[in-house]
Amino acid sequence: MSHAHHHDHDHDTKPSWLVGDNQRKADEIAHHFSKIMEVLELDLTDPHLKDTPERVGRMYLEIFRGLQADADPKITVFPNEEKYSNMVVVSNIDYFSVCSHHMIPFFGQAHVAYIPSEKIIGLSKIARIVDYFARRPQLQERLTEQIVDFMDDKLKPKGTIAVLEGRHMCMEMRGIEKVGAATSTSAIRGCFEEQRVRDEFFELIRK
Ligand SMILES: [Zn+2]
């Protein structure tokens, strides 16, 4: 008896969101993915491949959850009553995304900060914002910009910054980039344009 079934438990119970339009999309992806498998001359009767099109259909909806209209993070903004005006930094946020060009993963850590003006948000919400924009076919550069645009739009802060480090499987698996090499991107708004403010941020995320 094999104990290597840890990865196929997910197709027994149907997730609650897999209804209506989501079910239709998952079925359609499964249909087309089975065609790709046929082109690759894979044996679709193999026990480990026969349900793969359905699994891929469901998985695409999960990892691309950010494409769905109701998926945007519900951010409650609070008035900055204490007039807190120091930098708020959330570092080492793990994210997982998929490269728009090759449809395979890139992943890494995001470091996000803002300096409040009139509004503040719960710290856990910053990780949700990163996750929302990561869950769609993406470019690391665009993901980084979308995070700061969202922060800027919701909070109207004095400034905001996002720095992302990412490992791209489309480069590493094909041997284009050295394995383990990280790509860094950053986006800044407002007072983070100032060297002194940026220096403080980098000092804080190094800790
Ligand atoms: Zn790529």
Side-chain angles (χ1 to χ4, degrees):
M1 180 71 193
S2 163
H3 294 280
H5 293 294
H6 57 277
H7 58 273
D8 64 0
H9 57 82
D10 57 345
H11 62 97
D12 300 318
T13 51
K14 188 176 149 139
S16 60
W17 51 265
L18 198 64
V19 289
D21 204 39
N22 282 338
Q23 181 68 68
R24 181 193 61 75
K25 286 179 182 172
D27 290 346
E28 214 164 309
I29 293 164
H31 169 74
H32 292 290
F33 199 78
S34 72
K35 300 295 170 203
I36 292 172
M37 292 172 70
E38 280 171 22
V39 174
L40 294 170
E41 296 173 14
L42 293 167
D43 174 11
L44 280 149
T45 64
D46 181 291
H48 296 292
L49 294 175
K50 72 177 172 57
D51 298 325
T52 298
E54 283 71 30
R55 273 193 292 266
V56 171
R58 291 175 184 197
M59 185 189 69
Y60 272 19
L61 292 188
E62 283 181 39
I63 66 179
F64 299 144
R65 176 96 180 91
L67 294 174
Q68 302 201 18
D70 64 343
D72 61 306
K74 309 296 178 272
I75 302 298
T76 312
V77 172
F78 301 100
N80 183 17
E81 280 162 348
E82 286 79 33
K83 300 285 170 231
Y84 186 81
S85 61
N86 293 318
M87 195 176 295
V88 178
V89 184
V90 181
S91 52
N92 304 320
I93 303 166
D94 290 313
Y95 72 86
F96 297 89
S97 192
V98 172
C99 162
S100 283
H101 297 156
H102 301 94
M103 297 297 273
I104 59 171
F106 71 94
F107 60 91
Q109 291 195 318
H111 315 286
V112 182
Y114 74 105
I115 296 179
S117 179
E118 302 298 315
K119 299 168 184 172
I120 54 171
I121 51 170
L123 295 179
S124 66
K125 297 297 191 294
I126 293 178
R128 283 222 210 131
I129 294 165
V130 173
D131 187 64
Y132 167 64
F133 288 109
R135 284 185 183 244
R136 62 189 68 186
Q138 263 295 14
L139 303 176
Q140 188 179 321
E141 298 87 334
R142 190 174 57 196
L143 173 58
T144 312
E145 291 289 337
Q146 285 173 339
I147 294 163
V148 294
D149 279 342
F150 191 92
M151 296 284 292
D152 202 40
D153 184 55
K154 290 283 174 192
L155 294 169
K156 309 272 184 281
K158 290 183 180 139
T160 184
I161 186 168
V163 170
L164 269 64
E165 296 156 28
R167 287 183 58 187
H168 291 251
M169 293 303 100
C170 57
M171 293 197 284
E172 294 191 29
M173 289 173 75
R174 298 188 303 152
I176 292 167
E177 196 176 87
K178 220 172 76 200
V179 170
T183 303
S184 293
T185 47
S186 65
I188 52 178
R189 300 286 182 274
C191 60
F192 283 90
E193 301 274 357
E194 292 168 43
Q195 181 76 49
R196 156 188 83 73
V197 181
R198 274 206 308 281
D199 286 349
E200 186 189 339
F201 168 75
F202 284 110
E203 186 60 38
L204 287 166
I205 67 168
R206 254 193 293 273
K207 280 175 186 164

